[in-house]
Amino acid sequence: MKKASEQAAESTDSIIGTLKESSLHADLKEYLAKPGDRFEVPFHGYLIDIVRNDLLLEIQTSNFGALRVKLDRLLPNHEVRVIHPVAFERWICRVTKDGKAVSRRKSPKHGRFEDVFSQLLRIPRQASQPNFSMEILLTQEEIEWRDDGRGSWRRKGWSVSDRRLLSVLDRKTLHNHQDFLSFLPDTLDSTFTNQELAISAGIRPQLAQKMTYCLRNMGLLSLQGKRGRFNLYGIDDNLSASSLR
């Protein structure tokens, strides 16, 4: 089987939109490729990363906000799956302005599947549509910092110039409401605060807040009162049993 990048380069139409993609985006396309897939396909005014029979696969490594208009156009009549990598482990490579490697170190941060809510909060309405699904890939990746003076003050002027896939450790597909609600630990009470969710799931309070924001705006959670000064959340009473299958 040809690599996805080789197939994409075979037609003029396929070249459009591939020139600016990061190495990580191209690596994920090759990892996901299956026989019969088509790559960089013009479709209703957009380029689709992978078309697999009737399923449209969109690889989004960051900035889910950029997907809103595209999803609004496609979801009413087409099944769309958003593929998003979350780096469980990451190595940071520093290179000079002309590309010479000077160091490589492992980041102390570890990602987890729940980190997807940091991006999902930009498209909760779209994520609640029947034709929407998502696949999260837990990865090892390498990120390149370049000493070009254009980066943020936090990196002291070093810019992020590229990301590369090293391996995929695990994957999780979210097909329906129940799959999204499965992020709520079984140890939670039927009503809970963000603080209780953070403790039960072993995540940061800020991430718990993003999770409840997404699930509320997807129509899966609703406010159930207060406990002291904290909001209480619970599964929305209007959800039918069929919608959770």
Side-chain angles (χ1 to χ4, degrees):
M1 183 185 69
K2 294 181 180 179
K3 291 183 177 181
S5 57
E6 294 173 339
Q7 290 192 17
E10 287 186 350
S11 71
T12 303
D13 286 336
S14 296
I15 293 175
I16 300 171
T18 65
L19 300 180
K20 294 182 180 180
E21 71 182 17
S22 69
S23 296
L24 177 60
H25 192 278
D27 292 342
L28 288 170
K29 221 165 9 181
E30 292 190 6
Y31 172 80
L32 294 164
K34 291 184 177 182
D37 284 351
R38 293 179 292 147
F39 303 92
E40 301 298 331
V41 180
F43 192 84
H44 291 287
Y46 297 99
L47 277 179
I48 306 301
D49 289 323
I50 303 174
V51 174
R52 181 175 296 160
N53 298 320
D54 293 329
L55 180 63
L56 311 180
L57 282 76
E58 278 294 297
I59 299 167
Q60 197 72 11
T61 59
S62 62
N63 189 19
F64 275 28
L67 279 175
R68 277 195 294 263
V69 174
K70 192 174 191 178
L71 291 174
D72 284 341
R73 175 79 180 274
L74 298 175
L75 282 171
N77 300 302
H78 305 282
E79 293 186 22
V80 182
R81 179 167 300 165
V82 175
I83 314 293
H84 179 61
V86 172
F88 173 73
E89 293 180 319
R90 177 179 286 168
W91 281 261
I92 298 173
C93 296
R94 293 175 181 261
V95 300
T96 62
K97 189 174 182 179
D98 58 1
K100 181 180 179 181
V102 294
S103 69
R104 186 177 190 266
R105 67 175 176 86
K106 188 176 182 180
S107 169
K109 297 180 180 180
H110 285 82
R112 50 188 294 169
F113 285 123
E114 288 86 348
D115 288 332
V116 73
F117 286 98
S118 294
Q119 290 294 331
L120 197 62
L121 60 83
R122 294 175 172 85
I123 56 165
R125 178 175 57 81
Q126 291 80 5
S128 67
Q129 301 304 307
N131 280 333
F132 179 91
S133 62
M134 168 170 284
E135 184 168 8
I136 314 164
L137 304 178
L138 204 60
T139 66
Q140 292 176 315
E141 71 171 49
E142 189 173 71
I143 185 167
E144 183 180 283
W145 288 12
R146 188 173 294 264
D147 188 14
D148 56 9
R150 299 176 183 175
S152 73
W153 63 269
R154 290 185 178 88
R155 292 189 299 272
K156 299 181 179 179
W158 293 69
S159 65
V160 176
S161 57
D162 203 6
R163 294 167 64 189
R164 293 178 284 273
L165 178 68
L166 300 179
S167 67
V168 174
L169 302 175
D170 201 358
R171 52 202 298 181
K172 184 182 183 73
T173 305
L174 310 174
H175 293 282
N176 52 41
H177 291 163
Q178 185 62 60
D179 291 335
F180 285 97
L181 287 172
S182 70
F183 283 101
L184 301 177
D186 294 335
T187 53
L188 276 177
D189 291 336
S190 58
T191 58
F192 54 89
T193 66
N194 281 326
Q195 291 76 10
E196 290 165 349
L197 172 58
I199 293 170
S200 185
I203 60 178
R204 304 179 307 279
Q206 296 90 339
L207 183 55
Q209 186 175 10
K210 292 173 181 178
M211 187 184 300
T212 55
Y213 173 87
C214 289
L215 296 177
R216 275 192 68 195
N217 283 273
M218 291 175 68
L220 305 183
L221 293 183
S222 61
L223 281 175
Q224 306 278 331
K226 282 184 174 289
R227 181 170 291 140
R229 61 189 179 90
F230 299 110
N231 287 331
L232 277 176
Y233 301 95
I235 294 177
D236 192 275
D237 295 335
N238 294 320
L239 282 179
S240 64
S242 61
S243 69
L244 295 177
R245 291 176 189 153

